[in-house]
Amino acid sequence: MGDTVLYERKGKIATITYNRPESLNAINGQLREDLNQSWETFRNDDEAWIAIVTGSGRAFSVGADVKSFGENQSKNGTFWETPSLTSLESGMEIWKPVIAAVNGYCLGFALTLVSACDFVVASEHAQFGFPEVRLGIPTIQGAVRMPDRIGWQNAMELLLIGERVDAERAKEMGLVWKVVPHEQLMDEANRLAERLLLSAPLAVRATKEVARRGQQLPFSDAIRFGETMRKVSRETEDAKIGPEAFRNKSLPEWTGKE
Ligand code: COA
């Protein structure tokens, strides 16, 4: 793994950082590989329960590296293959909560990543946009996710007009959860992560998976799937620890064990 993306874990919180600040964290082939690797690491790291994704320097990420367009095309496979789901933004299933801490420009493929995050905390300096149409190319995963996430008209504003919007407009659209002063961004994201850690990790993952799959299933199938997940979750250690802690008037110490 290269150093264009950093993966750091403190306690149960993993921080994934786009790290090509000299190019405003533009996503070239190397960064894409490092990003894929980071999400894979997070998904498989039993000690990591929450991820925060952010950018180093003055941008979150400006999206695809336009200067390297045309290079490494073969890595994405041919037109006739379904793209592999190698990273969170391109469909990797991660049921642990993911928080985006958006510190500056968040454009194109970086906004696609944000559209797959559960919470978006934004610096007052953050700007969001899908400039792809102004480069003559469509946005795909962002177009699939955004209407559901922020409503049709807001999604079309971002996707078809291709202009950047500021943090306040992004909050109004429902894309951003909270806008904070720039210097408080990481503290706020970590505070949110700490609040999430008060919930049992496997129950959190089951709930997120039911919420996500439930949107794609007929209602009765979604409920059947959810009830099955509940039965499985009831067998976990944490499902015993939670009620016990309640009875003892103490704080539960979650194990995250099946
Ligand atoms: N790909 C490659 N390099 C990029 C880049 C991108 N998407 N966006 C910015 N950079 C580079 C710039 O070329 C510049 O490098 P240089 O100093 O070697 O010329 C450096 O990052 C700083 O960018 P700059 O344009 O000077 O900063 P700015 O604050 O004035 O403007 C943006 C920032 C994001 C508004 C502007 O750079 C921009 O519009 N970038 C393109 C965004 C884009 O189209 N993304 C692709 C989505 S598919």
Side-chain angles (χ1 to χ4, degrees), residues 59-236:
F60 180 79
S61 163
V62 289
D65 188 323
V66 182
K67 292 175 185 164
S68 69
F69 266 15
E71 292 170 18
N72 296 322
Q73 293 291 359
S74 60
K75 288 194 177 147
N76 295 328
T78 75
F79 180 78
W80 306 106
E81 289 168 354
T82 305
S84 52
L85 312 179
T86 49
S87 188
L88 180 64
E89 62 273 47
S90 51
M92 179 187 277
E93 292 189 329
I94 297 181
W95 307 123
K96 299 173 185 181
V98 180
I99 300 165
V102 180
N103 51 308
Y105 294 118
C106 174
L107 306 178
F109 206 57
L111 182 49
T112 296
L113 172 74
V114 161
S115 74
C117 293
D118 302 303
F119 294 90
V120 184
V121 183
S123 146
E124 60 204 338
H125 299 160
Q127 292 190 29
F128 300 82
F130 283 119
E132 284 92 327
V133 283
R134 298 212 171 182
L135 291 167
I137 46 178
T139 307
I140 306 304
Q141 283 99 338
V144 172
R145 288 202 196 95
M146 278 296 177
D148 200 44
R149 190 160 179 139
I150 60 173
W152 186 260
Q153 241 171 173
N154 289 329
M156 293 307 115
E157 177 180 336
L158 288 172
L159 290 159
L160 304 187
I161 299 177
E163 286 171 2
R164 299 191 297 276
V165 299
D166 64 15
E168 281 305 329
R169 174 76 187 113
K171 175 144 193 317
E172 188 181 81
M173 286 177 163
L175 177 61
V176 165
W177 179 68
K178 215 176 214 183
V179 181
V180 295
H182 186 72
E183 61 284 358
Q184 290 173 20
L185 179 67
M186 292 314 288
D187 284 349
E188 187 68 37
N190 276 289
R191 256 198 305 277
L192 171 59
E194 295 292 346
R195 283 170 71 194
L196 287 162
L197 288 173
L198 297 177
S199 303
L202 299 182
V204 161
R205 287 172 220 170
T207 305
K208 178 173 166 181
E209 183 172 357
V210 170
R212 177 64 54 80
R213 288 202 200 288
Q215 290 179 312
Q216 289 145 12
L217 291 171
F219 184 75
S220 54
D221 293 357
I223 298 300
R224 290 289 285 172
F225 169 65
E227 290 300 342
T228 308
M229 291 296 279
R230 192 212 303 269
K231 277 212 166 75
V232 175
S233 301
R234 279 215 159 130
E235 298 306 312
T236 63

Side-chain angles (χ1 to χ4, degrees), residues 25-78:
N25 301 320
I27 303 168
N28 61 4
Q30 183 64 54
L31 190 144
R32 184 113 191 226
E33 274 177 36
D34 291 347
L35 196 57
N36 293 353
Q37 185 58 56
S38 296
W39 289 117
E40 181 86 28
T41 303
F42 172 61
R43 198 177 56 163
N44 297 332
D45 184 350
D46 285 343
E47 293 302 311
W49 291 1
I50 316 278
I52 298 173
V53 54
T54 192
S56 59
R58 68 184 171 101
F60 180 79
S61 163
V62 289
D65 188 323
V66 182
K67 292 175 185 164
S68 69
F69 266 15
E71 292 170 18
N72 296 322
Q73 293 291 359
S74 60
K75 288 194 177 147
N76 295 328
T78 75

